[in-house]
Amino acid sequence: MSETPDFMKMSQQIYDQWEKGMSAWWDQVLENPAFLSALGENVANQSRMRGAYAKAVDENLSKMHLPTRGDLVRVARIATLLEEKVLQVEDHLLNIQDTLSRIEKEAITARIDAAETRIELRERLAQLEARLEGLEGGAAPRRTSRAKKEA
Amino acid sequence: MLDKMMEFSEFVTKFHFDGHPIGTAPHEVIFRQNKSCVRYFEPVERKAQPLFVSMPLINKWAVFDLLPNKSVVKALVDAGIPVYLLDWGTPKDEDAAVGMEELCDSVLHRALDRSRRHARQRWDTDVFDALGYCVGGTVLAAYCGLYPDSFRRVALLAAPIDFRHAGRLGTWADPETFPVDRIIDNFGNFPAELMGTSFVWLKPSTTPAKWKGLWERFEDPKFRETWSAVEAWNSDNIDFWGEAYRSYIKNCYFANSFFADGWPIGARKADLRKVQSPLHVFAADHDHICPPDAAFGAKDVWGGAVECTLLKGGHVGICLSSRLTDALTKWALAPEA
């Protein structure tokens, strides 16, 4: 008694064979210079037709005193270019903001540095005065710079 | 079997490519310019330098956030990395004149500036790492060539740099046969439909294989969910900024400028040899959009140290893989060498 044929398996094999053959055939066609040349010519002709059609529609609309596609495209392009200008202004403002932030940061840092230097100097001066007083000992009461100022 | 066929046919009939919610990870838009914006994803605690991500210009950004359990941004944020993602947006007719100079010097430069300012206030740092995916990676590399000291470290994911190894896309983008000038002159932007069709024809067997894969694993609800999310994203291509596309094709696919004296952008040249930041290149072994050699070619032209990692997967599939998120997280958390 013969086995029932597995149709799924058979159809799979048929498909695989078909795919293999088709791929090989298309590979040849799609790499063929004559085919590519004809295809290129076809696309070029379609492009020319599309251009001619667009021109004809524009001319007709223009004759009817209606805005053409070209007009709308020009207006939209101008809007895009205006947006570019606005963004350039935004670029400048952001750069100015960056510069101002940097200057502000530098100014604050400079003020902090100056204050720290003043404190350091004051401490150093106090140390020197104390040292001087120590050196002079009790020989003669020394007038400190502050006392001199007060005098 | 009959039940499965009925259910399958109902699923296929009712499936709406735009009906699946993607890009749902919580974030805030911190900056907008024209159609582009910076999306900020905040971690609970910062454990690494902020990461600036440049997404592809040919698809929507949500490929990095397709599902909550398969989200690149969520994995990065959960690892403690603040993510600033540049979503280039969808260009309209008025943006056809936008070239590489405007994208690099205005959009990307300003997006990075605002991200730095935000990070300075939020995290007290403005030192950034950067990641670029697909053509977003190529543009990021070009930006690094123009502004070499912008980032501490850079990672490129499936981003073509050496266009001699660009695979079938490279064969198609031949100056003799590919009428890029004609297309841009007449369409303005490079049309999403043409882009989508070219990706389908890049490997025609993927379309039947996609449906076959769905049939085979149809009973698995998780697989159905992932399949739906990928299809929702995949069917939503966007136009490519017109003049930028012209420059990309002419200078990358036609002239392989990174390997000459740099990609001319405005009056300058994006020269990768000037960049000293370390680079990590990630590529996928089954990527037919950016073959591994096209990505790894960066090591021959990048000024700083370059490390390469080959991951299993395809160009898009890699974004759903934990192998990628693990590798990216490891790279982002690694201390500076």
Side-chain angles (χ1 to χ4, degrees):
Chain A
M1 196 177 149
S2 63
E3 278 181 35
T4 317
D6 185 342
F7 287 110
M8 282 310 290
K9 203 173 170 185
M10 270 170 63
S11 58
Q12 175 74 38
Q13 283 169 347
I14 291 168
Y15 174 85
D16 289 344
Q17 282 300 318
W18 171 80
E19 190 199 10
K20 215 171 157 184
M22 192 197 75
S23 296
W25 186 78
W26 275 117
D27 281 349
Q28 281 184 348
V29 172
L30 295 171
E31 304 264 343
N32 184 325
F35 173 78
L36 294 181
S37 174
L39 188 69
E41 195 54 46
N42 185 281
V43 173
N45 286 335
Q46 279 189 39
S47 305
R48 264 193 294 263
M49 276 168 60
R50 203 268 188 187
Y53 173 75
K55 200 177 162 195
V57 173
D58 268 17
E59 279 172 4
N60 281 329
L61 287 170
S62 189
K63 278 176 192 162
M64 289 187 279
H65 304 293
L66 289 170
T68 65
R69 179 183 156 278
D71 294 333
L72 298 176
V73 166
R74 263 193 299 279
V75 171
R77 179 66 180 153
I78 289 167
T80 309
L81 293 173
L82 281 174
E83 187 198 27
E84 171 67 27
K85 292 274 176 208
V86 171
L87 286 169
Q88 281 175 8
V89 172
E90 190 183 86
D91 289 343
H92 281 300
L93 289 174
L94 287 169
N95 287 338
I96 290 169
Q97 198 182 37
D98 285 351
T99 313
L100 287 175
S101 304
R102 204 180 53 242
I103 291 170
E104 197 183 339
K105 210 180 273 178
E106 281 171 6
I108 291 171
T109 314
R111 281 171 65 186
I112 292 169
D113 285 351
E116 279 175 356
T117 312
R118 263 206 308 277
I119 292 166
E120 244 174 61
L121 280 173
R122 209 171 283 166
E123 283 170 355
R124 183 112 180 88
L125 197 62
Q127 278 172 2
L128 284 172
E129 280 176 352
R131 224 171 128 194
L132 201 60
E133 272 172 23
L135 283 173
E136 285 174 353
R142 187 182 160 272
R143 289 171 76 186
T144 63
S145 57
R146 187 170 291 169
K148 278 178 194 168
K149 258 185 202 168
E150 283 167 3
Chain B
M1 176 66 146
L2 199 63
D3 285 350
K4 183 181 173 182
M5 281 173 83
M6 293 293 284
E7 215 180 313
F8 185 81
S9 114
E10 194 181 2
F11 177 82
V12 172
T13 323
K14 286 187 178 167
F15 180 72
H16 293 292
F17 287 106
D18 56 352
H20 196 94
I22 52 177
T24 54
H27 65 274
E28 126 188 52
V29 174
I30 58 158
F31 173 68
R32 277 186 196 281
Q33 174 173 357
N34 194 4
K35 314 295 184 298
S36 311
C37 67
V38 175
R39 298 176 188 273
Y40 168 60
F41 300 80
E42 177 159 296
V44 176
E45 186 194 350
R46 180 168 81 87
K47 290 179 185 162
Q49 289 308 116
L51 182 67
F52 184 83
V53 183
S54 168
M55 292 307 292
L57 292 87
I58 51 173
N59 286 110
K60 295 207 168 152
W61 71 273
V63 65
F64 264 23
D65 187 29
L66 285 177
L67 290 166
N69 58 341
K70 289 184 187 295
S71 164
V72 176
V73 275
K74 191 172 178 297
L76 291 169
V77 169
D78 287 349
I81 304 154
V83 176
Y84 293 81
L85 183 144
L86 172 57
D87 169 8
W88 293 94
T90 307
K92 301 288 176 199
D93 288 348
E94 66 272 19
D95 302 310
V98 174
M100 278 306 300
E101 193 178 7
E102 198 167 327
L103 289 184
C104 283
D105 289 339
S106 177
V107 180
L108 204 160
H109 195 64
R110 199 171 276 125
L112 179 59
D113 175 74
R114 299 304 189 270
S115 303
R116 278 193 208 288
R117 287 174 190 282
H118 186 277
R120 215 179 290 150
Q121 283 201 331
R122 184 71 191 83
W123 300 109
D124 202 23
T125 180
D126 58 5
V127 179
F128 268 71
D129 289 337
L131 165 69
Y133 172 47
C134 183
V135 63
T138 312
V139 174
L140 179 74
Y143 178 83
C144 291
L146 296 175
Y147 301 91
D149 304 320
S150 298
F151 301 106
R152 186 182 71 141
R153 294 180 307 171
V154 180
L156 298 178
L157 168 63
I161 298 293
D162 185 353
F163 289 82
R164 286 171 302 184
H165 303 293
R168 186 165 284 165
L169 275 181
T171 310
W172 289 357
D174 184 303
E176 297 293 321
T177 52
F178 184 54
V180 63
D181 283 329
R182 193 77 74 187
I183 297 171
I184 300 303
D185 289 347
N186 289 291
F187 279 93
N189 293 315
F190 189 80
E193 297 77 21
L194 205 51
M195 189 78 77
T197 309
S198 63
F199 285 135
V200 170
W201 286 100
L202 201 55
K203 206 175 172 195
S205 60
T206 46
T207 308
K210 179 178 78 183
W211 292 103
K212 180 176 164 264
L214 177 65
W215 166 259
E216 283 172 355
R217 298 179 64 185
F218 190 66
E219 283 92 352
D220 178 357
K222 276 190 179 165
F223 179 82
R224 278 208 306 261
E225 190 185 30
T226 307
W227 190 94
S228 306
V230 172
E231 284 312 302
W233 172 79
N234 211 16
S235 60
D236 198 14
N237 284 316
I238 53 179
D239 286 358
F240 199 119
W241 311 75
E243 287 306 322
Y245 186 76
R246 197 197 301 264
S247 173
Y248 176 57
I249 292 295
K250 287 191 170 178
N251 292 296
C252 293
Y253 279 99
F254 290 0
N256 202 24
S257 298
F258 284 136
F259 279 75
D261 53 349
W263 182 352
I265 293 174
R268 294 164 300 156
K269 289 197 170 172
D271 185 358
L272 304 188
R273 292 169 190 89
K274 289 182 192 161
V275 194
Q276 292 304 315
S277 319
L279 170 70
H280 200 122
V281 184
F282 296 95
D285 60 352
H286 281 85
D287 191 342
H288 53 282
I289 294 171
C290 171
D293 284 347
F296 292 156
K299 65 180 183 296
D300 298 328
V301 79
W302 191 268
V306 179
E307 246 185 276
C308 298
T309 301
L310 186 64
L311 300 163
K312 274 185 194 292
H315 191 75
V316 177
I318 196 174
C319 297
L320 300 166
S321 145
S322 58
R323 285 185 291 269
L324 173 70
T325 46
D326 290 349
L328 278 180
T329 316
K330 194 178 159 196
W331 168 79
L333 292 174
E336 194 177 5

